Amino acid sequence: MKVNGKRKILLVRSTPNDIDINAYNVQQVGLGKAFCELGFDYDFITLKKDAPRKEFVFYEKNGCRAKCIEKPRKRFFRWGINTEIADAQFLAQYDLIICQEYYQLESYLIARKSDKVVLYSGPYYNMFMPKLLSPIYDMVFTKKIDEKVKSILVKSQLAFDFLHNKGYTKLHNIGVALDASRFENETQIKPETQKVIDYMKEHKCILYVGALSDRKNYPFLLEVYQYALKYVPDLKFVMIGKSRVSAMAKLAGKKDDDYAAKFYDKLPQNVKDGIYHIERIDNPQLKFIYPLAKAFLLPSKLEIFGMVLLEAMYLRTPVITSLNGGSMTLIQGKETGLIVEQFDKDLWCQAIIKYLDNPECTNEVTERAYKLIRDEYNWTVLAKKMLNIAGIDC
């Protein structure tokens, strides 16, 4: 349906955890900006606990606007539910409806009421809590969802294979993108950022940005650094992120801060002395930090995509990562970084040394990585792919 000659797109994020649209590289915001630039109005619905209904425009371009709509939700395990969204009359105003995540019941409820729905899903592992809900959900809803939606867009080959094995058939691997404007528009270095910059300019540093958690493999990061000091004694490690425990651990009474401390406290003093840790840096400020690192490490056990990979590669930082959704898409077969599949400290150390010992080759790798993200993994390119798969001209 066109309103005043303009077409409209709706994106629904029903996962029951709040989102800050001013945070870094929010996918729903990046897509909204891109759709506006392509000539569409865009509504983004997010569900919040006990939230008053709130709407606000967060971007305007060429007479089009992108709007965030906050609605209250009910929560059932990892489902967020708002039944008023799944209304045929409400949905009829949109030319395309994007529902996020195959495992969200709201996605099925909406697809029952509209023939304009596509899924955009990232997980390649069981996201249900408790886990035993997954096979029950799959048995009841997989065939129904596959029949109702126009297509299923996934963020990685791992997600493609995961859903294909469940029985989904309308799959397209389109990846994720980076809103580089957050970096390009940042010009002022903040005092806390300057301290990190000064440290990295004075030392030979590797870098990690992200939660200090089990899923991100924090203990292995420490193990790799301790081992690397045997071969590169003057190497330092800059870590930016907060200690985190899983949702299940929190239910068991564990505290976030205690997780990282229990591993850090066991380190020899010389290893502790080489770690520069800061809990938080404003995301746009990372543009001044990434390029100073000799290598960026991401040894996640599970990573749906890894926004930090997009950031590091765009900012010309040599990347060493585990095999995950993002690395399979951005690095495998492209010579844009290094994937180390095994969690073997010696192999990860060799990868660090490879970058350190071959600056010319490293520069070639980082330049290829930068061009890949700039040209192929921006939100405008991704939005065009979505429209093309949905059969909508732009």
Side-chain angles (χ1 to χ4, degrees):
M1 175 182 293
K2 294 184 180 181
V3 179
N4 297 325
K6 287 187 292 187
R7 294 172 291 177
K8 295 181 69 176
I9 292 175
L10 173 68
L11 186 147
V12 179
R13 177 189 181 272
S14 58
T15 45
N17 52 303
D18 294 351
I19 186 172
D20 176 6
I21 73 161
N22 296 310
Y24 79 99
N25 200 36
V26 175
Q27 299 169 33
Q28 299 82 3
V29 172
L31 276 171
K33 291 179 179 179
F35 283 129
C36 278
E37 291 168 3
L38 293 172
F40 294 81
D41 277 345
Y42 169 88
D43 290 342
F44 158 44
I45 292 179
T46 181
L47 304 183
K48 290 191 172 184
K49 182 180 179 182
D50 302 323
R53 287 167 175 77
K54 177 182 175 184
E55 300 183 10
F56 55 92
V57 173
F58 63 85
Y59 188 74
E60 293 182 272
K61 187 71 175 286
N62 299 329
C64 297
R65 57 100 188 113
K67 182 169 63 176
C68 179
I69 303 171
E70 297 179 352
K71 289 181 176 289
R73 62 162 167 81
K74 300 294 183 183
R75 177 171 185 157
F76 184 69
F77 297 113
R78 274 190 168 164
W79 291 336
I81 305 293
N82 182 299
T83 54
E84 68 182 42
I85 302 171
D87 175 79
Q89 186 174 354
F90 168 73
L91 297 172
Q93 66 183 295
Y94 296 99
D95 296 275
L96 179 65
I97 300 162
I98 305 166
C99 292
Q100 288 199 276
E101 313 310 349
Y102 85 96
Y103 65 91
Q104 285 297 310
L105 184 59
E106 187 79 34
S107 298
Y108 169 68
L109 297 176
I110 292 171
R112 287 177 61 209
K113 299 293 184 176
S114 174
D115 60 0
K116 303 172 185 175
V117 175
V118 301
L119 282 184
Y120 184 36
S121 191
Y124 57 88
Y125 50 88
N126 189 346
M127 295 291 290
F128 284 84
M129 189 172 64
K131 301 297 185 186
L132 59 84
L133 275 179
S134 181
I136 299 172
Y137 181 87
D138 292 344
M139 181 176 63
V140 175
F141 292 110
T142 293
K143 187 175 180 180
K144 294 177 181 178
I145 292 173
D146 197 53
E147 289 175 348
K148 293 290 184 182
V149 300
K150 290 168 65 76
S151 57
I152 302 169
L153 316 175
V154 296
K155 299 177 183 178
S156 70
Q157 187 61 44
L158 289 175
F160 185 104
D161 295 342
F162 179 73
L163 292 184
H164 176 74
N165 290 337
K166 288 180 178 292
Y168 291 94
T169 62
K170 304 173 183 178
L171 296 163
H172 302 266
N173 180 9
I174 65 168
V176 182
L178 178 71
D179 182 2
S181 66
R182 295 180 64 85
F183 296 122
E184 301 304 327
N185 296 332
E186 188 77 355
T187 58
Q188 190 72 33
I189 299 175
K190 295 183 178 181
E192 60 270 25
T193 306
Q194 189 63 56
K195 291 179 182 178
V196 182
I197 292 171
D198 292 343
Y199 182 85
M200 296 183 75
K201 285 183 175 180
E202 292 174 3
H203 301 96
K204 185 187 300 178
C205 298
I206 55 176
L207 176 67
Y208 169 77
V209 178
L212 311 184
S213 67
D214 180 70
R215 184 170 68 84
K216 298 288 189 177
N217 220 350
Y218 173 69
F220 183 70
L221 281 168
L222 299 179
E223 186 180 341
V224 169
Y225 176 58
Q226 183 172 353
Y227 187 78
L229 285 175
K230 297 179 181 179
Y231 301 92
V232 192
D234 59 343
L235 188 67
K236 306 296 182 183
F237 197 175
V238 174
M239 307 185 81
I240 302 174
K242 293 183 179 181
S243 176
R244 290 280 187 264
V245 295
S246 67
M248 292 301 292
K250 280 190 176 181
L251 289 174
K254 303 293 184 182
K255 296 181 180 179
D256 281 330
D257 290 344
D258 294 340
Y259 175 79
K262 74 178 180 181
F263 296 103
Y264 178 83
D265 291 345
K266 296 176 183 178
L267 295 174
Q269 191 58 48
N270 72 308
V271 180
K272 291 180 181 179
D273 291 343
I275 296 175
Y276 185 108
H277 175 229
I278 182 170
E279 287 195 345
R280 185 181 181 279
I281 289 285
D282 287 347
N283 181 258
Q285 291 282 296
L286 290 172
K287 71 173 283 187
F288 305 114
I289 293 173
Y290 273 114
L292 299 176
K294 302 301 181 184
F296 173 79
L297 275 58
L298 186 69
S300 301
K301 297 176 183 178
L302 295 169
E303 191 74 58
I304 289 176
F305 197 86
M307 293 299 182
V308 286
L309 286 179
L310 289 162
E311 293 176 353
M313 293 170 70
Y314 181 76
L315 294 168
R316 294 182 172 89
T317 311
V319 167
I320 306 168
T321 177
S322 56
L323 186 66
N324 54 61
S327 65
M328 281 192 72
T329 303
L330 303 173
I331 297 174
Q332 195 171 59
K334 296 182 176 67
E335 297 184 344
T336 52
L338 296 174
I339 298 175
V340 183
E341 295 192 29
Q342 301 90 348
F343 295 121
D344 180 318
K345 61 181 182 292
D346 181 62
L347 295 178
W348 282 73
C349 180
Q350 289 179 34
I352 294 170
I353 292 171
K354 182 177 181 178
Y355 282 140
L356 292 175
D357 288 349
N358 300 277
E360 185 175 339
C361 179
T362 298
N363 288 338
E364 292 174 359
V365 168
T366 56
E367 188 62 23
R368 281 193 294 268
Y370 161 71
K371 290 178 179 178
L372 176 72
I373 307 305
R374 181 196 65 188
D375 297 340
E376 299 183 32
Y377 290 92
N378 63 76
W379 286 114
T380 300
V381 168
L382 202 78
K384 287 180 178 179
K385 287 182 181 179
M386 287 184 167
L387 294 170
N388 181 59
I389 292 168
I392 298 175
D393 294 330
C394 61

